[in-house]
Amino acid sequence: MAGNLPSEVQTLAAVERLAMDSLPPGWSLRATRRPPRHGHEPEAMWNIQAPDGSVASFAVEMKRALLGRQLVEVLSQLATFEGLPLVAADYLSPTLRASLVDRGVSYADTTGNLRIVADRPGLFVERQGASKDPWPSDEPLRSLRGRAAGRAVRALVDFRPPYGVRDLAKRASVPLGSLSRALNLLDREGLVTRDDRGSVINLDWEGTIRRWSQDYEFARSNQTASYLEPRGLGAVAAKLSKARGSYAATGAFAAQRFAPIAPARQAALYVEDSALMAERLGLRPADTGANVILAEPFDPVVFERSTAREGLRVVAASQLAADLLTGTGREPSDGEELLAWMRANEDTWRA
C-alpha cells in the first residue's frame, strides 16, 4: 500500500489476505469481523484450520499507527478475549515486532510483516515486510542517526534511572534538546517509562541499544582506515600499552575481554587521528589482509566511560554492543554474547 494511511477496514482486509496467502498448503483461514466495539469482543476472529480439521483461533486487535507505549494496553485488552492473541496494524516497527515475539504474540501488518504461531495445531508462519514506516508520523525525530542522537543514547543507557532529563543532560554533557528528542522517540517505541513530570523511571537498555543499531553502523558512522601489523594482534596490544595518544578498543578485540568469544582476528580502535596513531604503532596501510582498523569516531562520546580491561582501554559496554551488532562476519553474534554478559553484570558496567 502507498499514499495515505490505510483505513481500519483496509488494514484488516490486507492482513487477512496476507495471512491466507502465507498459510501452508491444505490450511485455510476463516475471518469474522466484529462491528466497532460490539460488546466485549475483539475486532476480528481468525479461525485457522489444519488439513486434519483441527482449528487454532486467534483474537485480532487492530491498531492504526501503533506506538510502543500503547503495547501494554493492547495486550491487556487481548488477554480478556478467548483465542490466541494477534496484533494487526498498518505497520509494526522492528522494535515492536521483537517485543511481540518476546511475549509470544502473533502479528501482521499491511507491509508484509507476519508471524503466526500456534501449538495446537502446530503452526509457524513468518514473513518479512518493510523495515521502515511507509507512513511516518510528523514527530520531530524518527531516527537515532547522527552524533547528537548517539550521545543521547549513550547517556540514557550508561546511567541507571531514575533521573530527570535536565539532570542527565548536564551530567552527560548532552544538549537538552537532543536528549529530549531521543527520549520522545524511545517513548513512542515503548522503551522508556516516564512519570507525570517527565522524569525517566525505567529504560529498556537492551531494546534501546538494538533500536540505535537500526540507524547507527560502525563502518558507516565512523571514518575508518585499514592497516596491517605483520606480527599480529599481540604486538598491537603490546604497542598500545606504550603508545602516546587517546584510543579505545572496540569490536571483537575488546569484546573478548568481557565475554567468552572466539579470539579476535582483527583489532578495531577508536583514535583521534588515524594517520598519526598508525605512525606511532608502526602500522602499514593495507587494502587487503588488514588486521587493524583505526576509526576516527562520529563523536568523542566513544571515549567517555571507557575502562581498562586486561591492560587494554576499551569502549563502554553500550558502545561496544552497538559496534558489534552492526559489524561484519561473526561480530553480530559476538554482540549477542556481550548483551548476555551485560544482562548478567549490569552493576558492573552501568553507573
Side-chain angles (χ1 to χ4, degrees), residues 265-319:
R265 289 174 288 187
Q266 194 174 70
L269 306 170
Y270 283 113
V271 298
E272 294 175 334
D273 186 321
S274 295
L276 181 59
M277 183 60 81
E279 180 181 344
R280 288 175 174 173
L281 296 178
L283 304 176
R284 304 175 186 173
D287 293 328
T288 59
N291 60 358
V292 180
I293 302 297
L294 299 184
E296 295 178 8
F298 72 95
D299 188 90
V301 73
V302 302
F303 299 113
E304 295 178 12
R305 298 178 287 283
S306 59
T307 57
R309 300 184 73 89
E310 300 177 13
L312 187 73
R313 180 142 298 274
V314 299
V315 296
S318 56
Q319 184 68 52

Side-chain angles (χ1 to χ4, degrees), residues 158-341:
D158 290 352
F159 296 103
R160 191 194 302 266
Y163 41 66
V165 180
R166 289 184 180 276
D167 290 341
L168 181 63
K170 183 177 180 180
R171 183 180 182 185
S173 300
V174 179
L176 179 60
S178 298
L179 187 62
S180 297
R181 287 189 292 272
L183 264 175
N184 288 340
L185 184 150
L186 296 172
D187 189 11
R188 298 197 302 273
E189 296 274 6
L191 296 172
V192 62
T193 304
R194 307 172 77 172
D195 63 18
D196 293 340
R197 295 177 299 174
S199 297
V200 176
I201 58 176
N202 193 31
L203 178 86
D204 179 352
W205 61 261
E206 181 176 348
T208 298
I209 291 173
R210 292 185 186 279
R211 177 62 185 83
W212 183 30
S213 299
Q214 294 174 27
D215 298 316
Y216 168 86
E217 183 181 329
F218 173 74
R220 186 194 68 229
S221 301
N222 305 287
Q223 296 293 322
T224 61
S226 303
Y227 295 89
L228 176 66
E229 168 48 74
R231 289 176 293 175
L233 301 190
V236 175
K239 290 179 178 180
L240 285 169
S241 66
K242 303 174 183 178
R244 292 178 291 114
S246 299
Y247 81 90
T250 189
F253 189 54
Q256 62 190 15
R257 289 160 172 80
F258 287 86
I261 64 171
R265 289 174 288 187
Q266 194 174 70
L269 306 170
Y270 283 113
V271 298
E272 294 175 334
D273 186 321
S274 295
L276 181 59
M277 183 60 81
E279 180 181 344
R280 288 175 174 173
L281 296 178
L283 304 176
R284 304 175 186 173
D287 293 328
T288 59
N291 60 358
V292 180
I293 302 297
L294 299 184
E296 295 178 8
F298 72 95
D299 188 90
V301 73
V302 302
F303 299 113
E304 295 178 12
R305 298 178 287 283
S306 59
T307 57
R309 300 184 73 89
E310 300 177 13
L312 187 73
R313 180 142 298 274
V314 299
V315 296
S318 56
Q319 184 68 52
L320 180 55
D323 289 342
L324 287 168
L325 291 173
T326 62
T328 59
R330 68 167 189 254
E331 286 190 329
S333 56
D334 290 343
E336 297 296 337
E337 292 292 335
L338 177 66
L339 288 171
W341 180 90

Side-chain angles (χ1 to χ4, degrees), residues 1-2 6 10-11 13-23 46 87-94 97 107-116 125-135:
M1 291 187 177
Q10 290 173 324
T11 296
V15 296
E16 286 168 11
R17 288 194 300 271
L18 173 65
M20 290 177 183
D21 293 343
S22 303
L23 291 174
W46 289 1
V87 173
D90 307 300
Y91 171 73
L92 294 167
S93 71
R97 298 198 302 270
Y107 62 74
D109 74 23
T110 62
T111 75
N113 291 303
L114 175 73
R115 182 184 170 95
I116 302 176
V125 177
E126 188 170 42
R127 288 180 56 174
Q128 298 296 318
S131 59
K132 299 291 184 181
D133 190 352
W135 308 280

